[in-house]
Amino acid sequence: MKRFRSIVRSHFTIVALFLSASVAFTQDPRAQLSYAVSLANPEQHLVEVKITLPPGSSDRELQLPVWNALYQIRDFSQYINWIRAKDRAETPLAVRELNKSRWQIHGTSAGAVVEYEIYLDSPGPFGAQLSVHHAFLNLAQLLMYPVDARNAPLVLRFSHVPSDWHIATPLKSVDDSYVAENYDRLVDSPVEIGTFHESDFDDSGAHFRVIIDADPADYNAEKIVGALHKVVSSAISWMNDRPFDTYTFFYHFPRGPAGGGMEHAYSTAIDVSADQLRQNLDVLTGVTAHEFFHLWNVKRIRPKSLEPVDYTRENYTRALWFSEGCTSTVEGFIQLRAGLLDEKGYLARLGDEITELELRPARLTQSAEESSLDAWLEGFGYYRRPDRSISYYNKGELLGIMLDLAVRNASHGQASLREVLQWMNNNYAKRGRFFDDSNGVREAAEIVSHSDLDSFFTSYVAGTEEIPWDDFLRSVGLRVEALTTTVPDPGFVASRNFDGPMAVAAVAPGSEAERAGLQVGDTILELQGKPAGQESRQELSRLNPGDTLTVKVRSRRAGERELKWKISSRQEVSYDVKDLDRVSVDQRARRAAWLKGEAQVGASGAIGQ
Ligand SMILES: [Zn+2]
Protein backbone atom coordinates (compact mmCIF):
# COMPACT_ATOMS: atom_id res chain seq x y z
CA MET A 1 0.00 0.00 0.00
CA LYS A 2 1.23 3.44 -0.83
CA ARG A 3 0.10 6.58 0.82
CA PHE A 4 1.25 10.15 0.45
CA ARG A 5 1.13 12.90 2.95
CA SER A 6 3.17 16.02 3.19
CA ILE A 7 3.38 18.07 6.32
CA VAL A 8 5.22 21.10 7.51
CA ARG A 9 5.56 20.52 11.19
CA SER A 10 4.03 23.15 13.38
CA HIS A 11 6.80 24.39 15.59
CA PHE A 12 4.43 24.51 18.54
CA THR A 13 4.64 20.74 18.97
CA ILE A 14 8.41 20.96 18.86
CA VAL A 15 8.56 23.83 21.34
CA ALA A 16 6.25 21.88 23.61
CA LEU A 17 8.69 19.01 23.35
CA PHE A 18 11.54 21.22 24.55
CA LEU A 19 9.52 22.54 27.42
CA SER A 20 8.21 19.21 28.61
CA ALA A 21 9.48 18.09 31.97
CA SER A 22 12.79 16.35 31.78
CA VAL A 23 12.30 12.75 32.76
CA ALA A 24 15.50 10.89 33.43
CA PHE A 25 16.35 8.20 30.91
CA THR A 26 17.66 5.95 33.66
CA GLN A 27 17.09 6.00 37.41
CA ASP A 28 20.33 7.82 38.07
CA PRO A 29 21.40 10.12 35.22
CA ARG A 30 24.96 10.11 36.55
CA ALA A 31 25.20 6.39 35.82
CA GLN A 32 24.77 7.11 32.12
CA LEU A 33 27.31 8.34 29.60
CA SER A 34 25.80 11.58 28.32
CA TYR A 35 26.58 14.36 25.90
CA ALA A 36 25.22 17.92 26.11
CA VAL A 37 25.74 20.12 23.05
CA SER A 38 25.17 23.87 23.38
CA LEU A 39 24.28 25.88 20.27
CA ALA A 40 24.58 29.20 22.13
CA ASN A 41 27.10 30.71 19.73
CA PRO A 42 26.00 30.25 16.08
CA GLU A 43 27.46 33.62 14.97
CA GLN A 44 30.97 32.35 15.78
CA HIS A 45 30.27 28.74 14.73
CA LEU A 46 31.24 27.65 18.24
CA VAL A 47 29.73 24.66 20.01
CA GLU A 48 30.28 23.73 23.63
CA VAL A 49 30.25 20.03 24.42
CA LYS A 50 29.84 18.62 27.90
CA ILE A 51 30.47 14.89 28.37
CA THR A 52 29.32 13.31 31.63
CA LEU A 53 31.32 10.19 32.42
CA PRO A 54 29.72 7.70 34.84
CA PRO A 55 31.83 6.34 37.72
CA GLY A 56 34.56 3.99 36.57
CA SER A 57 38.32 3.69 36.58
CA SER A 58 40.43 6.52 37.97
CA ASP A 59 42.00 7.36 34.61
CA ARG A 60 39.86 7.72 31.50
CA GLU A 61 40.86 8.44 27.92
CA LEU A 62 38.75 10.38 25.44
CA GLN A 63 39.28 10.16 21.68
CA LEU A 64 37.99 12.43 18.91
CA PRO A 65 37.87 10.58 15.55
CA VAL A 66 40.49 11.58 12.97
CA TRP A 67 38.13 10.49 10.19
CA ASN A 68 34.51 9.65 9.56
CA ALA A 69 32.20 9.51 6.53
CA LEU A 70 34.84 10.28 3.89
CA TYR A 71 37.72 7.80 3.69
CA GLN A 72 40.11 10.64 4.44
CA ILE A 73 42.02 11.78 7.49
CA ARG A 74 40.49 15.11 8.46
CA ASP A 75 41.80 15.50 12.03
CA PHE A 76 38.69 17.09 13.53
CA SER A 77 40.67 17.96 16.68
CA GLN A 78 42.20 20.92 14.83
CA TYR A 79 38.97 22.77 15.72
CA ILE A 80 39.06 22.19 19.49
CA ASN A 81 39.82 25.50 21.21
CA TRP A 82 40.14 24.24 24.78
CA ILE A 83 39.30 21.29 26.98
CA ARG A 84 38.87 20.97 30.77
CA ALA A 85 37.46 18.49 33.28
CA LYS A 86 36.04 18.44 36.80
CA ASP A 87 34.72 15.86 39.21
CA ARG A 88 31.24 15.65 40.77
CA ALA A 89 32.26 18.15 43.44
CA GLU A 90 33.29 20.66 40.74
CA THR A 91 36.97 20.16 41.58
CA PRO A 92 39.13 20.59 38.47
CA LEU A 93 40.78 17.40 37.20
CA ALA A 94 44.07 17.12 35.34
CA VAL A 95 43.70 16.77 31.56
CA ARG A 96 46.72 15.44 29.70
CA GLU A 97 46.97 15.38 25.92
CA LEU A 98 48.29 11.99 24.74
CA ASN A 99 48.32 12.75 21.04
CA LYS A 100 46.61 15.28 18.77
CA SER A 101 43.23 13.56 19.14
CA ARG A 102 43.35 11.82 22.52
CA TRP A 103 43.20 13.11 26.10
CA GLN A 104 43.63 11.44 29.50
CA ILE A 105 41.62 12.61 32.49
CA HIS A 106 42.90 11.76 35.97
CA GLY A 107 40.67 11.27 39.03
CA THR A 108 37.49 10.00 37.34
CA SER A 109 36.58 7.05 39.62
CA ALA A 110 33.45 8.79 40.97
CA GLY A 111 32.52 10.10 37.52
CA ALA A 112 33.52 13.33 35.81
CA VAL A 113 32.41 16.08 33.50
CA VAL A 114 34.60 16.95 30.51
CA GLU A 115 33.95 20.18 28.62
CA TYR A 116 35.41 21.56 25.43
CA GLU A 117 34.73 24.18 22.79
CA ILE A 118 34.86 23.28 19.11
CA TYR A 119 34.56 25.39 15.96
CA LEU A 120 32.13 23.91 13.40
CA ASP A 121 31.82 25.51 9.98
CA SER A 122 32.23 22.67 7.44
CA PRO A 123 29.11 22.63 5.27
CA GLY A 124 27.93 19.63 3.29
CA PRO A 125 26.83 16.04 3.90
CA PHE A 126 30.22 14.95 5.31
CA GLY A 127 30.68 17.94 7.59
CA ALA A 128 29.50 19.65 10.76
CA GLN A 129 28.33 23.24 10.79
CA LEU A 130 26.64 25.61 13.19
CA SER A 131 25.62 28.93 11.66
CA VAL A 132 22.91 31.55 12.18
CA HIS A 133 20.98 29.67 9.50
CA HIS A 134 21.07 26.12 10.87
CA ALA A 135 23.12 23.31 12.33
CA PHE A 136 23.94 20.17 10.39
CA LEU A 137 26.06 17.82 12.42
CA ASN A 138 28.14 14.80 11.54
CA LEU A 139 28.50 13.97 15.23
CA ALA A 140 31.85 12.18 14.84
CA GLN A 141 33.30 15.57 14.05
CA LEU A 142 32.45 17.02 17.47
CA LEU A 143 31.85 14.23 19.98
CA MET A 144 34.71 12.35 21.66
CA TYR A 145 34.20 8.81 22.89
CA PRO A 146 35.51 7.29 26.12
CA VAL A 147 38.04 4.74 24.88
CA ASP A 148 36.89 2.19 27.49
CA ALA A 149 33.18 2.68 26.75
CA ARG A 150 32.69 3.00 23.00
CA ASN A 151 29.99 0.35 23.21
CA ALA A 152 28.11 1.89 26.14
CA PRO A 153 24.57 3.22 25.64
CA LEU A 154 24.41 6.99 25.79
CA VAL A 155 22.21 10.07 25.88
CA LEU A 156 22.50 13.22 23.77
CA ARG A 157 20.89 16.60 24.54
CA PHE A 158 20.95 19.92 22.74
CA SER A 159 20.63 23.25 24.55
CA HIS A 160 20.28 26.91 23.51
CA VAL A 161 18.36 25.86 20.40
CA PRO A 162 16.68 28.98 18.92
CA SER A 163 12.95 28.83 19.63
CA ASP A 164 11.86 28.54 15.99
CA TRP A 165 14.34 25.76 15.12
CA HIS A 166 13.37 22.08 14.97
CA ILE A 167 15.54 18.99 15.36
CA ALA A 168 15.57 16.09 12.89
CA THR A 169 17.70 12.98 13.35
CA PRO A 170 17.24 9.22 12.95
CA LEU A 171 18.26 8.85 16.62
CA LYS A 172 15.51 7.65 18.94
CA SER A 173 14.10 10.47 21.07
CA VAL A 174 13.23 9.95 24.71
CA ASP A 175 11.66 12.96 26.43
CA ASP A 176 13.95 15.93 25.76
CA SER A 177 16.92 13.77 24.71
CA TYR A 178 18.12 11.34 22.11
CA VAL A 179 19.52 7.92 22.89
CA ALA A 180 21.84 5.54 21.07
CA GLU A 181 22.93 2.02 21.95
CA ASN A 182 26.56 2.94 21.40
CA TYR A 183 28.93 5.53 19.94
CA ASP A 184 29.03 3.93 16.47
CA ARG A 185 25.24 4.21 16.15
CA LEU A 186 25.40 7.79 17.47
CA VAL A 187 27.87 8.98 14.84
CA ASP A 188 26.02 7.15 12.06
CA SER A 189 23.08 9.48 12.75
CA PRO A 190 23.31 13.00 11.34
CA VAL A 191 21.35 15.83 12.96
CA GLU A 192 19.71 18.80 11.24
CA ILE A 193 18.55 21.66 13.47
CA GLY A 194 16.86 24.66 11.92
CA THR A 195 13.72 25.82 10.13
CA PHE A 196 13.63 22.99 7.60
CA HIS A 197 10.67 21.69 5.61
CA GLU A 198 9.53 18.15 6.38
CA SER A 199 7.56 15.84 4.10
CA ASP A 200 6.73 12.34 5.32
CA PHE A 201 5.50 9.38 3.32
CA ASP A 202 4.94 5.66 3.67
CA ASP A 203 6.03 3.04 1.15
CA SER A 204 6.64 -0.71 1.18
CA GLY A 205 5.52 -0.87 4.81
CA ALA A 206 8.07 1.67 6.05
CA HIS A 207 7.90 5.30 7.10
CA PHE A 208 10.11 7.86 5.34
CA ARG A 209 10.99 11.36 6.51
CA VAL A 210 12.21 13.95 4.01
CA ILE A 211 14.02 16.87 5.66
CA ILE A 212 14.78 19.71 3.26
CA ASP A 213 16.80 22.71 4.35
CA ALA A 214 16.85 25.00 1.31
CA ASP A 215 15.21 28.05 -0.23
CA PRO A 216 11.58 27.03 -0.96
CA ALA A 217 11.87 28.82 -4.33
CA ASP A 218 14.48 26.27 -5.43
CA TYR A 219 12.52 23.02 -5.14
CA ASN A 220 9.15 21.30 -5.30
CA ALA A 221 8.78 18.95 -2.33
CA GLU A 222 5.89 17.04 -3.88
CA LYS A 223 7.89 16.23 -7.00
CA ILE A 224 10.82 15.10 -4.87
CA VAL A 225 8.60 12.86 -2.75
CA GLY A 226 7.07 11.42 -5.93
CA ALA A 227 10.54 10.46 -7.20
CA LEU A 228 11.53 9.08 -3.78
CA HIS A 229 8.54 6.73 -3.80
CA LYS A 230 9.84 5.27 -7.06
CA VAL A 231 13.42 4.97 -5.81
CA VAL A 232 12.64 3.29 -2.48
CA SER A 233 10.06 0.84 -3.82
CA SER A 234 12.32 -0.13 -6.71
CA ALA A 235 15.33 -0.70 -4.41
CA ILE A 236 13.35 -2.60 -1.76
CA SER A 237 11.78 -4.91 -4.36
CA TRP A 238 15.18 -5.48 -6.03
CA MET A 239 16.70 -6.57 -2.73
CA ASN A 240 13.50 -8.28 -1.57
CA ASP A 241 14.34 -6.92 1.88
CA ARG A 242 13.59 -3.93 4.10
CA PRO A 243 15.82 -3.94 7.19
CA PHE A 244 14.34 -0.76 8.76
CA ASP A 245 10.99 0.72 9.77
CA THR A 246 11.89 4.38 9.44
CA TYR A 247 14.39 6.04 7.13
CA THR A 248 15.29 9.73 6.86
CA PHE A 249 16.45 11.72 3.82
CA PHE A 250 18.30 14.97 4.58
CA TYR A 251 18.62 17.38 1.65
CA HIS A 252 20.43 20.69 1.21
CA PHE A 253 20.21 22.59 -2.07
CA PRO A 254 22.93 25.25 -1.85
CA ARG A 255 23.29 28.00 -4.44
CA GLY A 256 26.65 27.42 -6.04
CA PRO A 257 28.94 24.46 -5.54
CA ALA A 258 27.49 21.38 -3.95
CA GLY A 259 27.85 17.76 -4.49
CA GLY A 260 27.60 14.42 -2.99
CA GLY A 261 25.75 12.38 -0.49
CA MET A 262 26.61 10.43 2.60
CA GLU A 263 25.11 7.09 3.47
CA HIS A 264 24.01 5.95 6.92
CA ALA A 265 22.23 2.85 8.15
CA TYR A 266 18.90 4.64 8.69
CA SER A 267 19.36 7.86 6.77
CA THR A 268 21.28 9.72 4.12
CA ALA A 269 22.43 13.33 3.77
CA ILE A 270 22.54 14.70 0.23
CA ASP A 271 23.58 18.03 -1.30
CA VAL A 272 22.47 18.98 -4.80
CA SER A 273 23.07 22.45 -6.18
CA ALA A 274 19.95 24.57 -6.64
CA ASP A 275 21.03 25.30 -10.25
CA GLN A 276 21.09 21.62 -11.12
CA LEU A 277 17.81 20.94 -9.34
CA ARG A 278 16.08 23.63 -11.36
CA GLN A 279 16.96 21.75 -14.59
CA ASN A 280 15.55 18.37 -13.54
CA LEU A 281 15.57 15.78 -10.77
CA ASP A 282 18.07 13.44 -12.48
CA VAL A 283 21.03 14.25 -10.25
CA LEU A 284 18.91 14.12 -7.12
CA THR A 285 17.36 10.74 -7.98
CA GLY A 286 20.72 9.27 -9.04
CA VAL A 287 22.50 10.28 -5.84
CA THR A 288 19.48 9.24 -3.80
CA ALA A 289 19.31 5.77 -5.40
CA HIS A 290 23.03 5.35 -4.72
CA GLU A 291 22.92 6.45 -1.08
CA PHE A 292 19.73 4.52 -0.40
CA PHE A 293 21.23 1.29 -1.75
CA HIS A 294 24.18 1.83 0.60
CA LEU A 295 21.85 0.97 3.50
CA TRP A 296 22.50 -2.58 2.33
CA ASN A 297 25.81 -2.40 0.48
CA VAL A 298 28.48 -1.09 2.92
CA LYS A 299 26.25 -0.35 5.92
CA ARG A 300 24.96 -3.93 6.36
CA ILE A 301 26.71 -5.95 3.66
CA ARG A 302 30.03 -4.81 5.09
CA PRO A 303 33.64 -5.73 4.31
CA LYS A 304 35.42 -7.09 7.35
CA SER A 305 38.34 -4.74 6.69
CA LEU A 306 36.07 -1.88 7.83
CA GLU A 307 35.07 -3.59 11.10
CA PRO A 308 35.39 -2.58 13.81
CA VAL A 309 35.85 1.01 12.64
CA ASP A 310 39.20 2.44 13.72
CA TYR A 311 38.60 6.13 14.35
CA THR A 312 42.26 6.76 15.20
CA ARG A 313 43.82 6.00 11.80
CA GLU A 314 43.15 4.97 8.21
CA ASN A 315 40.85 1.94 7.80
CA TYR A 316 42.36 0.21 4.79
CA THR A 317 40.02 -1.83 2.59
CA ARG A 318 40.43 -3.38 -0.86
CA ALA A 319 36.67 -3.53 -1.30
CA LEU A 320 35.57 0.01 -2.19
CA TRP A 321 35.37 -1.01 -5.87
CA PHE A 322 32.47 -3.21 -4.66
CA SER A 323 31.08 -1.19 -1.75
CA GLU A 324 31.05 2.06 -3.75
CA GLY A 325 31.39 0.98 -7.39
CA CYS A 326 28.80 -1.81 -7.35
CA THR A 327 26.51 0.53 -5.42
CA SER A 328 26.70 2.76 -8.51
CA THR A 329 25.97 -0.28 -10.69
CA VAL A 330 22.81 -1.00 -8.70
CA GLU A 331 21.95 2.74 -8.71
CA GLY A 332 21.56 2.28 -12.48
CA PHE A 333 19.27 -0.75 -12.07
CA ILE A 334 17.14 1.08 -9.48
CA GLN A 335 16.71 4.03 -11.86
CA LEU A 336 15.87 1.72 -14.79
CA ARG A 337 13.32 -0.25 -12.76
CA ALA A 338 11.83 2.96 -11.38
CA GLY A 339 11.34 4.35 -14.88
CA LEU A 340 13.73 7.22 -14.10
CA LEU A 341 16.19 6.09 -16.80
CA ASP A 342 15.59 4.39 -20.17
CA GLU A 343 17.72 2.03 -22.24
CA LYS A 344 19.14 4.81 -24.38
CA GLY A 345 20.10 6.87 -21.35
CA TYR A 346 21.56 3.86 -19.61
CA LEU A 347 23.74 2.85 -22.59
CA ALA A 348 24.91 6.45 -23.03
CA ARG A 349 25.95 6.49 -19.40
CA LEU A 350 27.74 3.14 -19.81
CA GLY A 351 29.65 4.65 -22.75
CA ASP A 352 30.61 7.66 -20.63
CA GLU A 353 31.89 5.42 -17.82
CA ILE A 354 33.95 3.34 -20.28
CA THR A 355 35.34 6.56 -21.78
CA GLU A 356 36.29 7.88 -18.36
CA LEU A 357 38.25 4.73 -17.54
CA GLU A 358 39.85 4.40 -20.98
CA LEU A 359 41.07 8.02 -20.86
CA ARG A 360 42.97 7.44 -17.62
CA PRO A 361 46.43 6.02 -18.31
CA ALA A 362 46.55 4.87 -14.65
CA ARG A 363 44.10 2.05 -15.51
CA LEU A 364 47.20 0.12 -16.65
CA THR A 365 49.12 0.71 -13.40
CA GLN A 366 46.56 0.87 -10.58
CA SER A 367 44.07 -1.93 -9.93
CA ALA A 368 40.56 -1.49 -8.58
CA GLU A 369 41.74 -2.94 -5.25
CA GLU A 370 44.73 -0.58 -5.10
CA SER A 371 42.48 2.35 -5.89
CA SER A 372 40.33 1.25 -2.91
CA LEU A 373 43.36 1.20 -0.60
CA ASP A 374 44.49 4.58 -1.93
CA ALA A 375 41.13 6.25 -1.22
CA TRP A 376 42.97 7.92 1.66
CA LEU A 377 45.04 9.88 -0.90
CA GLU A 378 42.03 11.41 -2.67
CA GLY A 379 42.38 14.69 -0.81
CA PHE A 380 45.61 15.38 -2.69
CA GLY A 381 45.39 17.10 -6.08
CA TYR A 382 48.35 15.29 -7.62
CA TYR A 383 46.87 11.92 -6.73
CA ARG A 384 43.70 12.72 -8.71
CA ARG A 385 45.64 13.13 -11.98
CA PRO A 386 44.57 10.74 -14.78
CA ASP A 387 48.08 9.27 -14.99
CA ARG A 388 48.26 8.65 -11.24
CA SER A 389 44.94 7.11 -10.25
CA ILE A 390 41.69 5.60 -11.40
CA SER A 391 38.41 5.96 -9.55
CA TYR A 392 37.01 2.97 -7.67
CA TYR A 393 33.57 4.49 -8.31
CA ASN A 394 34.14 4.46 -12.06
CA LYS A 395 35.98 1.16 -12.50
CA GLY A 396 33.94 -0.43 -9.70
CA GLU A 397 30.66 0.46 -11.43
CA LEU A 398 31.96 -1.04 -14.68
CA LEU A 399 33.21 -4.15 -12.83
CA GLY A 400 29.74 -4.50 -11.31
CA ILE A 401 28.18 -4.39 -14.78
CA MET A 402 30.70 -6.87 -16.21
CA LEU A 403 30.41 -9.19 -13.19
CA ASP A 404 26.63 -9.13 -13.65
CA LEU A 405 27.05 -10.17 -17.31
CA ALA A 406 29.66 -12.81 -16.36
CA VAL A 407 27.33 -14.33 -13.75
CA ARG A 408 24.44 -14.30 -16.25
CA ASN A 409 26.56 -16.03 -18.88
CA ALA A 410 27.98 -18.63 -16.50
CA SER A 411 24.55 -19.43 -15.06
CA HIS A 412 22.76 -19.41 -18.41
CA GLY A 413 20.62 -16.49 -17.29
CA GLN A 414 19.54 -18.11 -14.02
CA ALA A 415 21.48 -15.68 -11.80
CA SER A 416 22.63 -12.08 -11.90
CA LEU A 417 24.24 -9.42 -9.72
CA ARG A 418 20.91 -9.26 -7.90
CA GLU A 419 21.35 -12.86 -6.67
CA VAL A 420 24.95 -12.06 -5.66
CA LEU A 421 23.82 -9.12 -3.51
CA GLN A 422 20.86 -11.05 -2.08
CA TRP A 423 23.13 -13.99 -1.24
CA MET A 424 25.55 -11.65 0.53
CA ASN A 425 22.65 -9.97 2.34
CA ASN A 426 21.33 -13.32 3.58
CA ASN A 427 24.70 -14.85 4.43
CA TYR A 428 26.52 -11.85 5.87
CA ALA A 429 24.25 -8.93 6.75
CA LYS A 430 21.41 -10.96 8.27
CA ARG A 431 23.80 -13.18 10.20
CA GLY A 432 25.79 -10.25 11.59
CA ARG A 433 28.92 -11.36 9.70
CA PHE A 434 31.29 -9.35 7.51
CA PHE A 435 32.58 -10.45 4.11
CA ASP A 436 36.21 -11.03 3.20
CA ASP A 437 36.63 -8.08 0.80
CA SER A 438 37.04 -9.14 -2.87
CA ASN A 439 37.26 -12.83 -1.89
CA GLY A 440 33.83 -12.59 -0.27
CA VAL A 441 32.32 -11.08 -3.42
CA ARG A 442 33.97 -13.75 -5.52
CA GLU A 443 32.67 -16.52 -3.27
CA ALA A 444 29.10 -15.21 -3.53
CA ALA A 445 29.31 -14.77 -7.31
CA GLU A 446 30.74 -18.28 -7.76
CA ILE A 447 28.06 -19.86 -5.56
CA VAL A 448 25.11 -18.24 -7.33
CA SER A 449 26.56 -18.87 -10.80
CA HIS A 450 28.02 -22.34 -10.09
CA SER A 451 31.19 -21.29 -11.87
CA ASP A 452 34.86 -20.43 -11.39
CA LEU A 453 35.39 -16.66 -11.64
CA ASP A 454 39.10 -16.73 -10.79
CA SER A 455 40.24 -15.09 -13.99
CA PHE A 456 37.68 -12.25 -13.67
CA PHE A 457 38.87 -11.36 -10.16
CA THR A 458 42.57 -11.90 -10.86
CA SER A 459 42.64 -9.97 -14.13
CA TYR A 460 40.23 -7.10 -13.58
CA VAL A 461 39.74 -6.65 -9.82
CA ALA A 462 43.21 -7.41 -8.41
CA GLY A 463 44.94 -6.86 -11.76
CA THR A 464 45.17 -4.14 -14.38
CA GLU A 465 44.36 -6.10 -17.52
CA GLU A 466 42.31 -4.22 -20.08
CA ILE A 467 38.65 -5.19 -19.85
CA PRO A 468 37.47 -6.78 -23.14
CA TRP A 469 34.16 -4.91 -23.26
CA ASP A 470 32.86 -6.61 -26.39
CA ASP A 471 33.34 -10.09 -24.90
CA PHE A 472 31.06 -9.19 -22.02
CA LEU A 473 28.51 -7.15 -23.96
CA ARG A 474 28.06 -9.59 -26.86
CA SER A 475 25.59 -11.74 -24.92
CA VAL A 476 23.18 -8.78 -24.75
CA GLY A 477 23.75 -7.83 -28.39
CA LEU A 478 26.01 -4.86 -27.80
CA ARG A 479 29.52 -3.73 -28.66
CA VAL A 480 31.75 -0.77 -27.90
CA GLU A 481 32.80 1.59 -30.66
CA ALA A 482 35.67 4.03 -30.35
CA LEU A 483 35.04 7.40 -31.94
CA THR A 484 37.66 10.05 -32.53
CA THR A 485 36.18 13.50 -32.40
CA THR A 486 37.47 17.02 -32.32
CA VAL A 487 36.65 18.42 -28.94
CA PRO A 488 37.12 21.84 -27.42
CA ASP A 489 40.31 21.96 -25.36
CA PRO A 490 40.46 24.39 -22.45
CA GLY A 491 44.16 23.52 -21.93
CA PHE A 492 43.91 22.36 -18.34
CA VAL A 493 42.61 19.58 -16.10
CA ALA A 494 40.90 20.39 -12.82
CA SER A 495 39.50 18.15 -10.11
CA ARG A 496 37.69 18.38 -6.81
CA ASN A 497 37.89 16.42 -3.60
CA PHE A 498 34.20 15.60 -3.05
CA ASP A 499 32.60 18.92 -2.14
CA GLY A 500 35.97 20.67 -1.78
CA PRO A 501 37.19 23.50 -4.02
CA MET A 502 38.09 22.86 -7.64
CA ALA A 503 41.85 22.86 -8.17
CA VAL A 504 43.96 22.90 -11.34
CA ALA A 505 45.75 19.52 -11.56
CA ALA A 506 47.56 20.02 -14.89
CA VAL A 507 48.11 22.80 -17.46
CA ALA A 508 49.00 21.73 -21.01
CA PRO A 509 52.49 23.00 -21.94
CA GLY A 510 52.35 25.70 -24.61
CA SER A 511 48.57 26.07 -24.28
CA GLU A 512 46.56 29.29 -24.25
CA ALA A 513 45.73 28.50 -20.62
CA GLU A 514 49.43 28.50 -19.74
CA ARG A 515 50.01 31.74 -21.63
CA ALA A 516 47.08 33.33 -19.77
CA GLY A 517 48.88 32.55 -16.50
CA LEU A 518 46.94 29.54 -15.18
CA GLN A 519 49.06 27.47 -12.80
CA VAL A 520 48.89 23.99 -11.31
CA GLY A 521 47.42 24.29 -7.81
CA ASP A 522 45.27 27.34 -8.59
CA THR A 523 41.83 27.16 -7.02
CA ILE A 524 39.10 27.84 -9.57
CA LEU A 525 36.48 30.06 -7.96
CA GLU A 526 34.32 30.86 -10.99
CA LEU A 527 34.01 29.63 -14.53
CA GLN A 528 32.12 31.82 -17.03
CA GLY A 529 30.86 33.90 -14.11
CA LYS A 530 29.36 30.91 -12.27
CA PRO A 531 30.70 29.33 -9.08
CA ALA A 532 32.92 26.35 -9.88
CA GLY A 533 31.23 23.09 -8.97
CA GLN A 534 29.59 19.98 -10.34
CA GLU A 535 28.13 21.90 -13.32
CA SER A 536 31.50 23.24 -14.46
CA ARG A 537 32.10 20.21 -16.64
CA GLN A 538 28.85 20.84 -18.53
CA GLU A 539 29.68 24.53 -18.69
CA LEU A 540 32.99 23.67 -20.38
CA SER A 541 31.39 21.17 -22.74
CA ARG A 542 29.08 23.89 -24.09
CA LEU A 543 32.06 25.91 -25.34
CA ASN A 544 33.40 25.68 -28.88
CA PRO A 545 36.93 26.14 -30.18
CA GLY A 546 37.51 29.89 -30.53
CA ASP A 547 35.18 30.82 -27.66
CA THR A 548 36.65 32.86 -24.83
CA LEU A 549 36.86 31.20 -21.45
CA THR A 550 36.79 33.41 -18.36
CA VAL A 551 37.88 31.97 -15.04
CA LYS A 552 38.40 33.53 -11.65
CA VAL A 553 41.23 31.80 -9.80
CA ARG A 554 43.06 32.14 -6.52
CA SER A 555 46.48 31.01 -5.46
CA ARG A 556 48.63 31.61 -2.43
CA ARG A 557 51.33 33.40 -4.38
CA ALA A 558 49.36 35.39 -6.94
CA GLY A 559 46.13 36.00 -4.99
CA GLU A 560 42.78 36.31 -6.71
CA ARG A 561 42.72 37.09 -10.43
CA GLU A 562 40.57 36.82 -13.54
CA LEU A 563 42.06 35.05 -16.55
CA LYS A 564 40.74 34.86 -20.11
CA TRP A 565 41.87 32.78 -23.03
CA LYS A 566 40.58 31.25 -26.22
CA ILE A 567 39.46 27.61 -26.25
CA SER A 568 41.47 25.53 -28.75
CA SER A 569 40.69 22.03 -29.98
CA ARG A 570 42.14 18.56 -29.88
CA GLN A 571 41.33 15.02 -30.96
CA GLU A 572 39.76 12.85 -28.28
CA VAL A 573 38.64 9.25 -28.30
CA SER A 574 35.30 8.45 -26.76
CA TYR A 575 33.41 5.18 -26.54
CA ASP A 576 29.83 4.46 -27.52
CA VAL A 577 27.87 1.32 -26.66
CA LYS A 578 26.00 0.20 -29.76
CA ASP A 579 23.84 -2.63 -31.10
CA LEU A 580 25.63 -5.44 -32.89
CA ASP A 581 24.95 -5.47 -36.65
CA ARG A 582 22.52 -8.31 -36.08
CA VAL A 583 20.88 -8.69 -32.69
CA SER A 584 19.31 -12.11 -32.18
CA VAL A 585 16.03 -12.81 -30.40
CA ASP A 586 18.00 -14.46 -27.56
CA GLN A 587 20.26 -11.45 -27.21
CA ARG A 588 17.23 -9.16 -27.06
CA ALA A 589 15.65 -11.31 -24.35
CA ARG A 590 18.87 -11.32 -22.35
CA ARG A 591 19.19 -7.56 -22.74
CA ALA A 592 15.63 -7.02 -21.51
CA ALA A 593 16.32 -9.07 -18.35
CA TRP A 594 19.69 -7.32 -17.86
CA LEU A 595 18.13 -3.84 -18.04
CA LYS A 596 15.61 -4.86 -15.40
CA GLY A 597 18.43 -6.06 -13.17
CA GLU A 598 16.73 -9.47 -13.09
CA ALA A 599 17.72 -13.02 -13.91
CA GLN A 600 15.95 -14.46 -16.94
CA VAL A 601 12.85 -16.30 -15.80
CA GLY A 602 12.87 -19.80 -17.20
CA ALA A 603 16.20 -19.30 -18.92
CA SER A 604 17.90 -22.52 -19.85
CA GLY A 605 20.40 -24.01 -22.20
CA ALA A 606 23.76 -22.72 -23.34
CA ILE A 607 24.20 -19.19 -24.44
CA GLY A 608 25.34 -18.92 -28.03
CA GLN A 609 28.45 -17.09 -29.21
ZN1 LIG B 1 28.67 5.78 -2.22
Side-chain angles (χ1 to χ4, degrees), residues 263 290-291 294 324 327 393:
E263 70 275 9
H290 178 101
E291 304 306 337
H294 268 314
E324 285 297 345
T327 295
Y393 285 93

